[in-house]
Amino acid sequence: MHTVPTWDHKDAKEFRAATRREILERYHTTTFVDQRVDTIQRTHAGSFVATTAHGDKYEARKVILATGVTDVYPDISGYAECWGTAIFHCLFCHGYEERGGQKAGLLALGKTAESQYALPISGIAKRLAGSITIYTHGDQTVADSLKEEAGSYGYSVDARKIARLEKLESETGNLMLHFEDGSSERLSFLAHTPPTQQTNTLAKQLGLEVMPSGDIKAIPPLSATDIAGVFAVGDCSFPMKNVSLAISNGTLAGVGAIHQLVMEN
C-alpha cells in the first residue's frame, strides 16, 4: 500500500483486516457479510433488495456501491506479469522505489497516447530516471503527434512494436522490452494507465449512468448517482484510482446517505 499514513509498504489485506476488526469492536450497528451480491433491484416502495450468491436477501433504503474496477490489460505478452511491480499506473503510488535508474518509459496506449496525459506523466517519470522514452507500440500516427512536443522536453519517442515484456530482478532495471524487430531495451519501470471496467453488473441492473471511461457517473462531493438513493464510491466511480481518495469518497457518501435518511424520517 501507498499514500495511507502509517500503512506505507504494508499489505492491503492487513489494512482491511485491521479496519474490519476495529469497526466490529467499536461500532455494534455494523455487520459484515462475506457473500457476493449477484442481483440488486429497486422495489415499488423505493427500497432496494440485494440477493447474494447463496440466495440470501437484504433490503435497504440506500445503497453505496464500492465495488472497484477491473484493469483491462493491452494484448502484450508479459504485461500482466509486470503489472504493479514494473508497470505502474500512478507514479504517486509506485515508482519512487525504482528511482535512480538509467532509463524509464511510458507506454502510449489508450488514454496515455494523448499528449495531455503522456507529457505530464513522462515529466513525473523523468524525476525518477535518467531518461524517458515514450513507446507507441507500433502506432506511427501517435508517435508523429507526440514527437515534436516530447522532444522539446527531452523525451524520446519510439514507434517500434513490442513483442513481449519481461519482469527482471536486477539492480540495473526491473523490466525488459522485447521488440518485434528482435532488439531489446532494459527499463527501471514503465508507466501506463490501462482502461478499466466495472467488476460486475450491479450498476447496469440499477440503471446507473456509466461514463465512456467505464466509471459510474457520481456527483461530487457526496458521490450520489442519477438514481435516487444510490451512491457510488472509490475506483468504480472516481477517475483517480487511489486508496486514500477512495476512503475519502466513501466517508462523504456515508454522510450523504445518512443525511437523506434523516430528512426522510
Side-chain angles (χ1 to χ4, degrees):
M1 289 182 61
H2 301 273
T3 74
V4 179
T6 74
W7 284 91
D8 194 47
H9 280 254
K10 294 181 181 179
D11 194 323
K13 292 180 181 179
E14 296 177 11
F15 174 76
R16 291 194 296 270
T19 301
R20 179 169 178 156
R21 183 174 61 252
E22 290 179 358
I23 289 174
L24 290 175
E25 287 174 352
R26 298 174 182 174
Y27 305 101
H28 304 300
T29 57
T30 302
T31 302
F32 287 86
V33 179
D34 295 320
Q35 294 187 43
R36 184 185 73 243
V37 173
D38 281 346
T39 62
I40 187 165
Q41 296 177 324
R42 189 165 196 171
T43 68
H44 293 297
S47 61
F48 302 90
V49 176
T51 304
T52 72
H54 294 172
D56 297 331
K57 296 182 182 296
Y58 297 87
E59 186 170 0
R61 289 160 59 189
K62 307 296 172 185
V63 171
I64 300 177
L65 294 179
T67 48
V69 291
T70 299
D71 296 301
V72 182
Y73 301 146
D75 187 19
I76 300 176
S77 177
Y79 186 101
E81 290 74 16
C82 296
W83 176 248
T85 57
I87 302 175
F88 307 131
H89 86 288
C90 171
L91 296 178
F92 284 97
C93 304
H94 306 277
Y96 180 79
E97 294 74 12
E98 277 62 55
R99 68 193 182 282
Q102 184 176 1
K103 186 175 185 178
L106 170 81
L107 183 59
L109 286 180
K111 184 168 70 173
T112 50
E114 301 174 29
S115 62
Q116 62 179 319
Y117 297 107
L119 297 177
I121 295 172
S122 295
I124 298 171
K126 182 64 173 64
R127 298 173 65 87
L128 304 172
S131 66
I132 300 298
T133 298
I134 299 173
Y135 300 94
T136 66
H137 189 43
D139 194 323
Q140 189 61 53
T141 300
V142 171
D144 291 342
S145 70
L146 293 174
K147 192 170 184 177
E148 182 176 352
E149 194 169 5
S152 69
Y153 287 98
Y155 315 142
S156 301
V157 177
D158 191 327
R160 288 177 295 175
K161 193 163 188 179
I162 301 169
R164 65 185 178 91
L165 302 172
E166 179 186 3
K167 177 71 173 71
L168 303 176
E169 298 296 338
S170 168
E171 294 182 359
T172 59
N174 289 329
L175 179 69
M176 185 73 80
L177 275 65
H178 299 282
F179 298 96
E180 287 192 347
D181 64 6
S183 60
S184 299
E185 285 189 7
R186 185 189 297 265
L187 302 178
S188 54
F189 64 86
L190 187 65
H192 181 236
T193 304
T196 59
Q197 63 186 19
Q198 296 295 311
T199 59
N200 52 49
T201 63
L202 298 181
K204 183 177 181 180
Q205 292 177 39
L206 288 166
L208 303 181
E209 182 178 351
V210 176
M211 297 183 290
S213 63
D215 298 331
I216 298 170
K217 184 176 181 179
I219 303 170
L222 303 182
S223 296
T225 69
D226 58 329
I227 300 298
V230 180
F231 301 79
V233 303
D235 289 357
C236 74
S237 66
F238 202 68
M240 300 178 71
K241 317 302 183 188
N242 177 282
V243 176
S244 54
L245 294 176
I247 293 171
S248 173
N249 236 196
T251 301
L252 289 169
V255 171
I258 291 297
H259 182 268
Q260 289 185 6
L261 288 170
V262 168
M263 295 307 294
E264 289 169 5
N265 291 337

